[in-house]
Amino acid sequence: MNKIVNFPLLLFFTLLVVSCGSKKTYTGKTISDVRMDPDTTIYVRLNAVIGDSAIAVSNIKDSRRDTFCIKDAMFSNKIFGDMNIGDTLAIMPLFKKHSIKSSYNLNEMTGLWLMKDGNGINLTLDGMAVNVGIFDDEISLRHWMIHNGMLFITYVLMDGSDYAERIDTTDITNLTYESLQLNINGKVYDCKHVKKLLSVDDLNPNR
């Protein structure tokens, strides 16, 4: 005897499985997990660019002067931002090799960044990361930090299911003073640097 399939019921369960499977799950580590590893990041002021393969810097903490080769970081695409004289860089040094593993230009990275829809992110020099408008409808940003050559941004879930501050590696795919492209939890955000106070006309250019 052939069984009769209830197609409406089958369709309901199929849609239910698909919708549940497509919901994004955030499984970021806690801040404590990351900070358990000693951090070798140092903050320096860029004094000179030597040719196209080295930089001369002074440590902001103790004014120590060093020269580092940047070829390895360039080859692995770990130079984030421009090499502007006088700017502050967060670098991961390899002192024995007199080179660096990565560099972040903090003068370019920090500030107010907006997407085309007027939403965005504010990265402050003291390590705060703040949603501007509806930057993301699933997470609320809290802090940013550079740890062992990697950028981390912390967040809490917007749905209230977990109030713990989570942390994930954040990839910068493009950084200049004008533009910033971030990849957070698999989502890509294209932002432009805001250098002046915004007016209603700025947010609604077609008005």
Side-chain angles (χ1 to χ4, degrees):
M1 181 176 180
N2 295 328
K3 294 183 179 180
I4 299 176
V5 178
N6 189 325
F7 283 101
L9 187 60
L10 178 62
L11 179 60
F12 170 78
F13 280 109
T14 301
L15 292 175
L16 181 63
V17 170
V18 171
S19 64
C20 290
S22 63
K23 183 176 178 59
K24 189 167 184 64
T25 301
Y26 293 93
T27 57
K29 297 179 180 180
T30 64
I31 299 177
S32 298
D33 293 333
V34 173
R35 287 180 174 165
M36 284 180 65
D37 297 325
D39 184 24
T40 59
T41 304
I42 63 173
Y43 297 86
V44 300
R45 182 166 290 105
L46 181 60
N47 297 326
V49 177
I50 305 170
D52 59 357
S53 61
I55 55 174
V57 300
S58 54
N59 192 309
I60 291 178
K61 184 178 180 179
D62 57 15
S63 299
R64 170 180 168 174
R65 293 177 177 269
D66 285 294
T67 300
F68 295 103
C69 177
I70 60 174
K71 280 187 176 181
D72 290 343
M74 293 174 63
F75 182 77
S76 57
N77 294 317
K78 295 297 182 182
I79 301 290
F80 302 105
D82 301 312
M83 290 291 178
N84 301 319
I85 306 302
D87 280 1
T88 298
L89 310 178
I91 65 174
M92 183 178 179
L94 302 172
F95 286 109
K96 291 183 178 180
K97 296 178 62 177
H98 299 288
S99 67
I100 63 171
K101 187 174 181 179
S102 66
S103 171
Y104 294 81
N105 186 318
L106 299 188
N107 289 74
E108 294 185 341
M109 191 184 82
T110 55
L112 177 59
W113 298 92
L114 294 183
M115 297 179 288
K116 289 181 179 180
D117 60 3
N119 298 308
I121 180 174
N122 190 17
L123 300 174
T124 67
L125 275 173
D126 59 356
M128 299 295 292
V130 183
N131 292 45
V132 177
I134 307 175
F135 174 72
D136 187 290
D137 59 1
E138 295 183 356
I139 60 175
S140 177
L141 305 178
R142 289 293 184 266
H143 300 91
W144 66 268
M145 61 185 290
I146 294 171
H147 191 90
N148 287 332
M150 295 182 291
L151 173 64
F152 292 90
I153 290 184
T154 71
Y155 59 86
V156 295
L157 299 181
M158 296 277 282
D159 61 9
S161 62
D162 183 1
Y163 291 103
E165 191 170 345
R166 313 300 292 180
I167 188 167
D168 275 297
T169 306
T170 300
D171 296 320
I172 293 180
T173 52
N174 180 57
L175 173 63
T176 67
Y177 185 72
E178 301 289 338
S179 62
L180 171 67
Q181 188 176 75
L182 287 172
N183 187 324
I184 305 176
N185 292 309
K187 291 185 178 181
V188 178
Y189 305 88
D190 286 297
C191 304
K192 296 296 182 183
H193 208 166
V194 177
K195 311 179 197 62
K196 65 185 181 75
L197 293 176
L198 297 179
S199 66
V200 173
D201 292 334
D202 291 323
L203 295 177
N204 299 280
N206 298 321
R207 186 174 172 178

